[in-house]
Amino acid sequence: MATAGGGSGADPGSRGLRLLSFCVLLAGLCRGNSVERKIYIPLNKTAPCVRLLNATHQIGCQSSISGDTGVIHVVEKEEDLQWVLTDGPNPPYMVLLEDRLFKRDLMEKLKGRTSRIAGLAVSLTKPSPTSGFSPSVQCPNDGFGVYSNSYGPEFAHCRKIQWNSLGNGLAYEDFSFPIFLLEDENETKVIKQETFDYIGSSRMVYDMEKGKFPVQLENIDSFVELGQVALRTSLELWMHTDPMSQKNESVRNQVEDLLATLERSGAGVPAVILRRPNQSQPLPPSSLQRFLRARNISGVVLADHLAAFHNNYYQSIYDSAENINMSYPEWLSPEEDLNFVTDTAKALADVATVLGRALYELAGGTNFSDSIRADPHTVTRLLYGFLVRANNSWFRSILRQDLWSYLGDGPLQHYIAVSSPTNATYIVQYALANLTGKVLNLTREQCQDPSKVPSENKDLYEYSWVQGPLTSNETDRLPRCVRSTARLARALSPAFELSQWSSTEYSTWTESRWKDIRARIFLIASKELEFITLMVGFGILAFSLVITYCINAKADVLFITPREPGAVSY
């Protein structure tokens, strides 16, 4: 038996025992931590459904304040739901659902039996469903665009065209249990998303009207917007306009000039053929609608679709790089993938070339030549960074070093919060700044405080000290100061500033607050095994008590105290 040895002397053996006990204690703690890791498997890279609220409704998902726990039950076919909803003896259940079953009718069944449902984990598989999937509604942003019962009633509520015909509206349902998305069998980050009822554009229009934006609304001559342009099934690019505003002859003439300018710009780009939809067709969901609600201006929305969206995965987890046919040779490294010009990048660069030439002419430029051409290499880097791998050398070169933590090994999360900037927002800002700004010969201190430089204007420009490209030795970087007009503007609904909580003019979406979002799985014994373990434990306890009693009763026999040695006589 090892004890902390008798006496207070400096016994080497005693000191050794104390040291050994301390080491064993540390080892025990380490093993305890390892046991916890073996019991609990954290799902760190999941995409949760969150709660959203506006003036009249709440949508999304929520958990209990202290979280939810349930028995995992895999649902591979609809018949498996019977166990979860009625037959299973150990509710509540945490349902593991294959994505092909993530449909409205099945979710309605789960929604009706919330007492037996602790939560839902959806396993994302590839390839994407060929029939398409969109959790958005069939008429996106309905009620907050330009068309209403008083302005173009024949176009209101998508009466003319159901733009998102595959929409099932799941994203606008209210679920009282948590929902997480998992990709394949491994929990990895997935994309959670082309909206909050024009909250960004409505705020911009409001600020322009109130003189809180650098450009006033009356200073806008024309409006050219890029819609969905990555899924052209042919060379055609459609120029959508608003038929209602063109009832004004002046606006109609301005729109005609705008369309003619675009057509001239596209004449030198054989890969893009510009088409005009029928004049009786309304605008697709677009920011232009919010501007037209405030003022009749000439505008056009460029899109790859004539009527309903070509995108069968609008606002869904499948609206990814694969959806726009981005693919890379398997033998390339990530850095080589970054610079590999895909066919999608080439097609988008052609669209950007048409747009760039049109904007040059609209701004007063003349006699442009083939020198105005979008760089496919830049486009492919943007696509790769946003849709495939954010943590790449180009994104690191255009960001401040303290923002590098926003870059993950997968695609950027495309969910944009209601009011606070997200990782993607900052990266878009810095990408625009580096692509449209100017590199200045300023020190880091001057860049961070340009007011000390007489020739610079902090009110007019935004200054950023970025890490810059790698040097020739591939280890050091050349940091630099970039000056641009790319700024962040709050996309907070004007309804909150005006205290108009029930506004129908402005969206009133808000996000719920959360302390921590996480999911983990762990094993527990079945009820039968728990009962057997309990009974065995009681048996061992009873047996131990009997043995202890018997030993105690016979202690004088079993444990004889040795007699003191007496004096020895001869």
Side-chain angles (χ1 to χ4, degrees):
M1 173 179 282
T3 65
S8 59
D11 178 22
S14 173
R15 188 182 306 137
L17 287 172
R18 285 194 292 267
L19 181 60
L20 178 62
S21 300
F22 183 65
C23 292
V24 170
L25 176 62
L26 285 180
L29 289 174
C30 294
R31 281 197 299 271
N33 187 35
S34 177
V35 169
E36 181 183 359
R37 289 199 300 269
K38 290 179 180 178
I39 294 176
Y40 295 99
I41 304 174
L43 306 178
N44 296 319
K45 296 182 180 179
T46 57
C49 166
V50 299
R51 165 73 72 225
L52 298 171
L53 309 97
N54 67 3
T56 57
H57 294 81
Q58 69 175 25
I59 63 173
C61 320
Q62 71 177 38
S63 67
S64 303
I65 293 179
S66 57
D68 296 276
T69 302
V71 179
I72 293 180
H73 186 77
V74 180
V75 174
E76 296 179 333
K77 53 186 183 298
E78 290 197 37
E79 290 77 11
D80 294 338
L81 276 182
Q82 187 71 19
W83 180 268
V84 173
L85 299 178
T86 57
D87 297 345
N90 301 310
Y93 290 97
M94 190 69 68
V95 180
L96 180 59
L97 190 71
E98 290 193 3
D99 57 353
R100 60 186 176 82
L101 297 175
F102 189 56
K103 301 181 295 185
R104 188 180 185 90
D105 56 346
L106 188 143
M107 292 301 295
E108 290 290 345
K109 294 178 182 178
L110 295 178
K111 188 177 178 181
R113 298 300 302 273
T114 54
S115 62
R116 296 183 60 88
I117 306 298
L120 181 68
V122 181
S123 175
L124 186 66
T125 58
K126 294 179 181 179
S128 304
T130 55
S131 58
F133 174 81
S134 174
S136 186
V137 292
Q138 294 186 343
C139 188
N141 298 326
D142 185 27
F144 291 89
V146 67
Y147 304 116
S148 64
N149 292 331
S150 59
Y151 185 90
E154 66 271 30
F155 305 131
H157 312 300
C158 296
R159 291 191 179 104
K160 189 85 172 181
I161 299 175
Q162 291 287 349
W163 295 105
N164 186 34
S165 57
L166 293 176
N168 59 28
L170 268 179
Y172 290 80
E173 287 293 321
D174 179 28
F175 298 98
S176 59
F177 48 81
I179 299 178
F180 282 82
L181 287 172
L182 314 173
E183 188 173 8
D184 295 329
E185 290 135 2
N186 304 315
E187 35 85 23
T188 55
K189 188 182 294 182
V190 295
I191 301 169
K192 183 171 191 302
Q193 298 180 331
E194 278 125 52
T195 58
F196 296 108
D197 296 334
Y198 302 116
I199 192 171
S201 51
S202 64
R203 178 70 197 208
M204 180 179 288
V205 172
Y206 175 81
D207 287 344
M208 286 180 173
E209 291 176 321
K210 301 300 180 182
K212 298 178 180 180
F213 198 81
V215 178
Q216 304 303 306
L217 192 59
E218 57 269 18
N219 297 136
I220 296 179
D221 177 74
S222 302
F223 195 106
V224 182
E225 180 175 351
L226 280 176
Q228 301 179 30
V229 295
L231 290 173
R232 287 188 294 151
T233 55
S234 62
L235 302 181
E236 295 176 331
L237 187 66
W238 295 92
M239 302 181 293
H240 296 270
T241 58
D242 170 45
M244 297 301 298
S245 60
Q246 292 185 72
K247 292 180 179 180
N248 181 301
E249 184 178 359
S250 175
V251 174
R252 184 170 66 252
N253 292 336
Q254 290 177 331
V255 170
E256 181 60 37
D257 291 340
L258 180 57
L259 296 178
T261 300
L262 283 165
E263 289 169 338
R264 285 195 300 272
S265 301
V269 184
V272 179
I273 299 176
L274 291 160
R275 299 290 192 197
R276 301 188 185 193
N278 191 298
Q279 269 201 320
S280 63
Q281 181 171 307
L283 278 172
S286 53
S287 295
L288 176 57
Q289 294 202 28
R290 288 302 307 192
F291 283 80
L292 287 171
R293 284 183 69 150
R295 177 171 170 262
N296 272 352
I297 58 176
S298 61
V300 61
V301 177
L302 300 178
D304 55 24
H305 55 91
L306 168 61
F309 297 158
H310 285 170
N311 184 3
N312 291 335
Y313 308 104
Y314 178 72
Q315 287 190 2
S316 84
I317 51 181
Y318 303 107
D319 196 2
S320 58
E322 291 81 4
N323 184 33
I324 59 173
N325 303 316
M326 285 178 58
S327 59
Y328 300 87
E330 294 181 357
W331 58 85
L332 295 183
S333 67
E335 190 64 23
E336 291 171 327
D337 283 344
L338 170 66
N339 297 292
F340 179 80
V341 180
T342 63
D343 291 339
T344 302
K346 294 175 183 176
L348 289 175
D350 289 332
V351 174
T353 297
V354 173
L355 180 62
R357 292 178 179 180
L359 294 177
Y360 176 79
E361 184 174 344
L362 289 170
T366 57
N367 300 324
F368 65 83
S369 63
D370 290 343
S371 60
I372 301 179
R373 180 169 291 277
D375 179 18
H377 188 254
T378 300
V379 176
T380 206
R381 283 181 160 189
L382 286 168
L383 290 172
Y384 182 82
F386 282 106
L387 300 180
V388 180
R389 185 185 176 93
N391 189 11
N392 60 75
S393 61
W394 187 59
F395 269 8
R396 289 195 296 271
S397 72
I398 65 175
L399 291 176
R400 302 195 315 259
Q401 191 169 10
D402 61 301
L403 297 180
W404 282 9
S405 60
Y406 292 173
L407 304 177
D409 290 333
L412 278 172
Q413 183 180 4
H414 294 166
Y415 173 74
I416 303 299
V418 173
S419 60
S420 58
T422 61
N423 299 359
T425 305
Y426 285 115
I427 295 174
V428 168
Q429 179 194 13
Y430 276 84
L432 288 173
N434 280 265
L435 292 173
T436 63
K438 181 179 180 182
V439 177
L440 302 179
N441 187 23
L442 298 180
T443 65
R444 181 172 184 171
E445 291 72 22
Q446 290 173 325
C447 188
Q448 292 175 341
D449 187 11
S451 59
K452 296 179 180 179
V453 184
S455 59
E456 301 302 329
N457 190 331
K458 191 174 182 178
D459 296 328
L460 187 60
Y461 299 104
E462 187 81 4
Y463 296 81
S464 304
W465 184 259
V466 300
Q467 292 305 295
L470 289 169
T471 58
S472 56
N473 60 16
E474 296 293 325
T475 56
D476 299 324
R477 292 186 176 273
L478 294 173
R480 55 193 183 181
C481 183
V482 176
R483 183 186 71 187
S484 74
T485 55
R487 295 175 177 267
L488 291 180
R490 295 188 71 193
L492 186 66
S493 173
F496 302 127
E497 189 170 306
L498 299 171
S499 298
Q500 297 178 357
W501 315 117
S502 58
S503 172
T504 56
E505 173 67 17
Y506 301 109
S507 70
T508 53
W509 286 112
T510 61
E511 253 176 347
S512 60
R513 299 294 298 270
W514 53 82
K515 182 179 180 181
D516 186 24
I517 295 182
R518 61 175 180 165
R520 62 182 184 177
I521 59 176
F522 55 93
L523 289 176
I524 61 172
S526 66
K527 296 293 184 181
E528 294 79 8
L529 183 57
E530 286 181 342
F531 180 76
I532 293 173
T533 303
L534 180 63
M535 292 298 102
V536 171
F538 277 131
I540 293 174
L541 175 62
F543 179 74
S544 300
L545 291 175
V546 171
I547 294 297
T548 303
Y549 175 78
C550 293
I551 291 175
N552 187 61
K554 300 294 183 179
D556 56 339
V557 177
L558 296 174
F559 306 105
I560 301 175
T561 305
R563 291 178 295 176
E564 291 290 333
V568 179
S569 59
Y570 296 91

